[in-house]
Amino acid sequence: MVDLHTHSTASDGTLTPEALVDLAVEKHLNAIALTDHDTLAGIPGACVRGNERGVEVVPGVELSAKWEGSGQMHILGYYVDCENDYLLERLQWLREHRQQRAQRIAARLKRLGVPISEHRIMEVAQGGSIGRPHIARVLVEAGHVASISEAFDRYLKDGGPAYVEKAQFRYGEVIKLIRLAGGVAVLAHPATLQLPRESLEASLKRLIRSGLQGIEAYGNHDAPAETSFYENIGRHYGLILTGGSDFHGANKLGTELGEYFANGLPDTDSLLEALSQRRPARTAGQGSSSS
Ligand code: AMP
Ligand code: ZN
Ligand code: FE
Ligand code: FE
């Protein structure tokens, strides 16, 4: 079993990268990808612990992308080079904007009569990439709402009264950024594009022309029937099919590490082999001893 979509305290998950690997051991997973939002900070710690505990850790990242639709488009980058200066610089820029956005959301909440401490948001984020789940937790702590999901429903959801858009790059730039850093670009949870099937196919074609290489066909957002649609369309266009839970620990209740509609997912070795084969040629040998 493999889970290629997870978040740690480096962004908006609640487990440290090390604790995430420990949980993977408990759950008998043989590989996980750490795909924090806009940061690679958790990867070294996860890799070290993965080596110690016998879990393969795929370095990853998740970026939100601007596009013409109204749903959310998130793109995963697997096997990116964690020392790529350009990628690191762009991610840092995104994180700085996340911080400014958190201040703007806090200002909106204040106007809505549910003030929270900006300082407390920073504390909860522990220096990681700040996201709405952190703000939701502070709203719970302050007693303004009973749960994280209530915080989203009443204030933070897309288009909600305290919602502020994130700074993000267009999808073509996101894919290019990932690939320039030696990574493989995969569309995360395709259901959040909120498109009917025919339009999803058209959007997917545009993404592929921009360099998309895979689709997260196996996930948590979809009914099993949706999974087979993503499998078919992904195969039709020669995309690699990946799977993951989008685990966030206590910040996203109802999602467990390694638990998602994985029926049909190939075995871990074949999947990771297929993924790494998509890496650009000049970095494909990185980290391996092949001549
Ligand atoms: P952000 O990147 O700051 O826009 O926050 C996005 C994160 O918030 C996603 O990774 C989701 O896990 C989480 N999220 C989005 N909508 C909801 C919701 N309705 N309830 C709980 N968590 C949510
Ligand atoms: Zn998240
Ligand atoms: Fe996502
Ligand atoms: Fe995610």
Side-chain angles (χ1 to χ4, degrees):
M1 260 307 279
V2 56
D3 190 332
L4 294 181
H5 191 156
T6 71
H7 296 272
S8 75
T9 47
S11 68
D12 56 2
T14 53
L15 294 186
T16 62
E18 290 80 8
L20 193 65
V21 170
D22 291 344
L23 183 61
V25 173
E26 245 175 70
K27 299 249 177 185
H28 307 288
L29 304 185
N30 36 36
I32 61 165
L34 181 60
T35 53
D36 277 310
H37 303 277
D38 302 341
T39 182
L40 302 170
I43 287 168
C47 286
V48 168
R49 186 66 66 106
N51 270 330
E52 289 166 4
R53 310 259 357 230
V55 174
E56 179 149 6
V57 174
V58 175
V61 66
E62 180 174 22
L63 285 97
S64 306
K66 255 192 279 197
W67 66 300
E68 40 290 332
S70 56
Q72 294 273 353
M73 179 184 283
H74 292 179
I75 297 176
L76 297 158
Y78 292 114
Y79 292 111
V80 285
D81 171 7
C82 295
E83 287 169 12
N84 182 284
D85 285 333
Y86 185 59
L87 176 61
L88 290 171
E89 184 265 316
R90 297 321 285 160
L91 295 179
Q92 187 178 345
W93 186 87
L94 290 169
R95 290 196 303 276
E96 283 164 12
H97 276 262
R98 279 178 171 274
Q99 180 145 356
Q100 292 168 20
R101 170 199 190 218
Q103 289 165 356
R104 290 176 59 200
I105 292 178
R108 282 184 175 240
L109 289 169
K110 192 172 170 188
R111 272 184 260 130
L112 290 162
V114 284
I116 53 171
S117 148
E118 274 179 38
H119 177 71
R120 186 63 194 143
I121 301 174
M122 305 304 154
E123 270 180 5
V124 165
Q126 296 176 69
S129 187
I130 300 175
R132 283 179 284 167
H134 299 122
I135 299 170
R137 272 178 58 196
V138 177
L139 277 166
V140 175
E141 270 181 19
H144 295 312
V145 289
S147 65
I148 288 188
S149 58
E150 190 189 337
F152 272 91
D153 287 345
R154 284 180 60 184
Y155 301 110
L156 301 173
K157 67 180 177 200
D158 296 3
Y163 178 69
V164 175
E165 239 182 30
K166 260 186 320 237
Q168 44 197 293
F169 308 129
R170 273 194 65 81
Y171 64 82
E173 297 172 68
V174 170
I175 293 169
K176 203 164 118 189
L177 183 59
I178 289 168
R179 295 192 60 168
L180 280 173
V184 181
V186 174
L187 177 66
H189 41 66
T192 65
L193 296 180
Q194 296 183 337
L195 290 177
R197 290 182 176 190
E198 315 74 59
S199 336
L200 177 68
E201 180 159 4
S203 289
L204 207 53
K205 279 193 199 166
R206 282 195 287 273
L207 282 159
I208 292 167
R209 274 200 294 274
S210 298
L212 188 82
Q213 296 156 292
I215 182 169
E216 192 176 61
Y218 308 94
N220 256 322
H221 289 266
D222 330 300
E226 290 299 299
T227 302
S228 61
F229 171 69
Y230 299 137
E231 276 178 325
N232 290 334
I233 198 169
R235 279 205 190 102
H236 180 78
Y237 289 104
L239 294 173
I240 179 160
L241 310 178
T242 68
S245 65
D246 205 1
F247 180 69
H248 282 75
N251 274 346
K252 192 171 179 187
L253 296 178
T255 302
E256 300 300 334
L257 187 66
E259 294 182 22
Y260 56 96
F261 298 116
N263 259 346
L265 190 72
D267 68 89
T268 306
D269 287 347
S270 327
L271 177 58
L272 296 189
E273 173 67 21
L275 250 189
S276 35
Q277 272 175 5
R278 302 289 181 113
R279 296 157 79 184
R282 71 176 179 286
T283 53
Q286 220 174 53
S288 82
S289 54
S290 61
S291 53

